[in-house]
Amino acid sequence: MNSAAIYLHIDNDTDVDDALVGGEAEPCMVLSPHLTTTDVNGTSSMVEPTEHATDIPAGGHLDLVPQGLHLMCYGISEPLTEGQQFTITLRFRSGAAAIVNAVVARR
């Protein structure tokens, strides 16, 4: 089984603070936030984000980027192909959900 990273920009257009907690997407058995960290020796590793790393302030945004906070899609049973599209349902601490479209791209 394979994995893939998902990068996106999330706007919180409400007047209430919220946080990304995970989501679902058809090609993923598991979709969860992860954080890439680099130690003083230049070695990178992926860790579960700290409690407030996925916070999105009211009227603010959260960027999921390479070498930083991102979503990991685990358990992909069929290979993804460049240009392939799929839907992601993002889940937030408030109970809200947002549906976004993803396009597979090489990085």
Side-chain angles (χ1 to χ4, degrees):
M1 298 224 179
N2 293 318
S3 61
I6 298 173
Y7 312 115
L8 61 137
H9 175 91
I10 302 169
D11 288 314
N12 180 356
D13 294 329
T14 73
D15 59 356
V16 178
D17 294 345
D18 212 341
L20 177 67
V21 295
E24 297 91 36
E26 187 162 318
C28 313
M29 290 181 70
V30 176
L31 184 65
S32 60
H34 280 81
L35 180 65
T36 301
T37 61
T38 304
D39 67 19
V40 294
N41 298 317
T43 303
S44 294
S45 60
M46 253 190 335
V47 297
E48 297 272 333
T50 59
E51 180 180 352
H52 296 288
T54 62
D55 286 355
I56 312 169
H61 68 271
L62 178 67
D63 288 317
L64 305 181
V65 297
Q67 300 303 310
L69 187 63
H70 58 279
L71 288 172
M72 280 304 298
C73 173
Y74 289 109
I76 302 169
S77 58
E78 298 291 324
L80 299 174
T81 57
E82 192 167 357
Q84 178 181 345
Q85 297 183 31
F86 59 91
T87 301
I88 300 171
T89 301
L90 301 172
R91 303 281 178 198
F92 298 91
R93 185 183 307 139
S94 66
I99 297 173
V100 297
N101 293 315
V103 178
V104 176
R106 288 197 177 270
R107 189 177 83 77

